[in-house]
Amino acid sequence: MPLPFMPSRRGFLAGVGAAAVGITLTGLEGCHRGPPGKRINFYNWDTYIGKTTLKDFKSATGVTVDMSLFSNNDELFAKLRGGNQGYDVIVPTNDFVQRMAKADMLEPLDHARIPNLKNIAPEFLDPPFDPGRKWSMPYTWLVLGLGYRKSKIQGVPDDWKWVFDSPQYKGRIGLLAEAGDLVRLVLKYLGYPMNTGDPVALKKVEDLLIRQKPNIAVFHDDNGQDLLLSGDIDIVIEYNGDIAQVMKEDKDLDFVIPKQGSQISSDCLCIPKGAPNPDLAHEFINYLLDAKAGAEISQTIKYPTPNAAAKALMGPDYKDNPVIFPPQSILSKCDYATYNGEALSRQYEEIITRVRAA
């Protein structure tokens, strides 16, 4: 039997209690609205902050950060599309930075208020999805691949076929639920440009996934590492940082980027339109780009950092880890997702809705 649809957990705070870092799990319900200038609302992915980051920021500034969680970019976009419900800082992925900027859902950033921008590695300062960093600051970069249990998988599964086009691991496969990511990875496997809107290519994606669906255990909202760690599945599409987290706990787990290449992404810090506290939002973003704060975040979440000053403070177990920092030979085959209009985004969502319903 397929596993049920699972909510996002990203390791469920990797042992960090929600109360310890000021998190609510139901959007802004329960978020406090203290005296003006004393609290901000941070909308983030799960387990995507350092163990002491929010406490340290409060100690340094007197500002409390109430962090609530979203499961995927589709949820983030839907939550804010009808208007900002009180969020000050959000963490969309690069293609959603483009999408939200074009939909007038973001505030432009004042670089004069973010002096720690100097800590960012040069290659992240002028990305194609946000030239000149008008709308976003880099928080992490990441790449999708296959997390797997070595004792259950024959050899190294360095081909997308093992999750998209084979019954070999029937009932033990986890796919991402996020529509755009899943469609783009199948396009990559089929040999098409990853960001194409070619209707022939997209029909092949849909047909392939419908054919493969009986072999799939779960479409997960970025909690694939937990399902892998618990033994519910043996192979899963997941981000390198998530698998790096659980590899510390279970030596039978590993990660590989398939030979066809993959999707590289950047999660970014943005201020949504209508943020109640834009000045404090800039102050918080600047704090997250601090070298010491950035190192503490990276040590916790195990994602590759674009913060060169933070990386310099890290040990070899982080800097030299090939899961966290894959070799350039395979990264050269990876592409950023791009936003190509609302019509194509909706088409991706409709394709995955039909696959899930098939």
Side-chain angles (χ1 to χ4, degrees):
M1 290 288 292
L3 290 169
F5 176 77
M6 302 291 289
S8 172
R9 290 171 64 238
R10 279 205 185 209
F12 200 65
L13 303 178
V16 184
V21 291
I23 296 175
T24 63
L25 301 179
T26 55
L28 283 180
E29 295 176 52
C31 277
H32 302 283
R33 293 184 180 274
K38 294 298 183 183
R39 308 189 84 97
I40 60 171
N41 292 314
F42 182 35
Y43 201 23
N44 192 15
W45 303 86
D46 201 351
T47 67
Y48 221 37
I49 195 70
K51 291 182 181 179
T52 65
T53 305
L54 304 187
K55 180 180 70 174
D56 293 344
F57 179 69
K58 183 177 181 180
S59 296
T61 66
V63 177
T64 297
V65 180
D66 292 310
M67 186 168 78
S68 50
L69 309 177
F70 58 86
S71 300
N72 57 51
N73 283 291
D74 294 327
E75 179 183 340
L76 168 65
F77 186 80
K79 176 79 77 170
L80 291 171
R81 190 171 197 174
N84 191 344
Q85 300 175 33
Y87 300 108
D88 296 294
V89 179
I90 59 174
V91 193
T93 306
N94 51 277
D95 53 317
F96 277 77
V97 172
Q98 289 180 295
R99 187 177 184 183
M100 297 178 86
K102 289 185 178 180
D104 194 29
M105 294 167 65
L106 300 178
E107 296 283 358
L109 298 178
D110 182 352
H111 288 196
R113 292 194 246 176
I114 311 175
N116 282 331
L117 181 58
K118 68 181 187 295
N119 292 332
I120 300 303
E123 60 267 31
F124 296 99
L125 293 177
D126 192 33
F129 59 86
D130 184 14
R133 288 289 178 186
K134 179 178 180 180
W135 306 106
S136 69
M137 288 290 131
Y139 188 56
T140 63
W141 64 270
L142 50 159
V143 63
L144 284 164
L146 297 176
Y148 64 101
R149 184 165 292 282
K150 292 182 282 188
S151 62
K152 298 290 187 179
I153 301 296
Q154 296 179 15
V156 177
D158 62 347
D159 195 307
W160 288 115
K161 73 178 180 180
W162 301 120
V163 292
F164 290 147
D165 202 14
S166 170
Q168 183 163 347
Y169 301 111
K170 180 180 176 68
R172 309 298 298 170
I173 299 169
L175 301 187
L176 276 174
E178 192 164 300
D181 292 343
L182 187 53
V183 169
R184 285 186 288 264
L185 290 178
V186 179
L187 286 168
K188 175 74 81 170
Y189 167 65
L190 292 173
Y192 290 100
M194 197 180 73
N195 292 291
T196 186
D198 177 11
V200 173
L202 294 179
K203 182 64 167 61
K204 288 183 179 180
V205 168
E206 183 174 341
D207 291 346
L208 184 71
L209 286 173
I210 288 174
R211 187 166 67 245
Q212 181 70 350
K213 191 190 173 190
N215 301 317
I216 304 305
V218 61
F219 292 83
H220 70 87
D221 262 325
D222 198 20
N223 67 315
Q225 75 281 3
D226 301 313
L227 298 171
L228 190 64
L229 182 64
S230 66
D232 290 321
I233 55 177
D234 296 326
I235 186 169
V236 63
I237 299 175
E238 195 46 280
Y239 292 101
N240 56 332
D242 285 331
I243 301 302
Q245 288 180 24
V246 294
M247 285 175 65
K248 296 188 303 177
E249 302 177 50
D250 190 335
K251 301 302 182 186
D252 193 30
L253 303 182
D254 210 343
F255 175 85
V256 64
I257 301 172
K259 61 187 180 183
Q260 294 94 346
S262 185
Q263 176 177 293
I264 190 169
S265 301
S266 177
D267 286 336
C268 300
L269 301 164
C270 300
I271 300 176
K273 194 84 168 181
N277 304 288
D279 291 341
L280 291 177
H282 278 89
E283 186 173 358
F284 182 55
I285 289 174
N286 186 61
Y287 180 82
L288 295 178
L289 300 188
D290 174 75
K292 185 177 178 182
E296 199 263 332
I297 292 167
S298 297
Q299 186 61 47
T300 302
I301 70 175
K302 302 301 182 189
Y303 271 66
T305 179
N307 189 327
K311 186 178 179 181
L313 299 178
M314 303 292 287
D317 60 325
Y318 176 83
K319 289 191 289 189
D320 300 335
N321 187 326
V323 173
I324 299 173
F325 293 98
Q328 187 58 41
S329 58
I330 189 64
L331 289 178
S332 65
K333 298 180 181 180
C334 301
D335 301 299
Y336 276 111
T338 61
Y339 170 67
N340 293 313
E342 281 299 294
L344 187 58
S345 295
R346 285 195 297 271
Q347 194 171 353
Y348 288 165
E349 291 160 7
E350 290 164 0
I351 287 170
I352 300 307
T353 295
R354 289 193 293 270
V355 170
R356 298 281 293 273

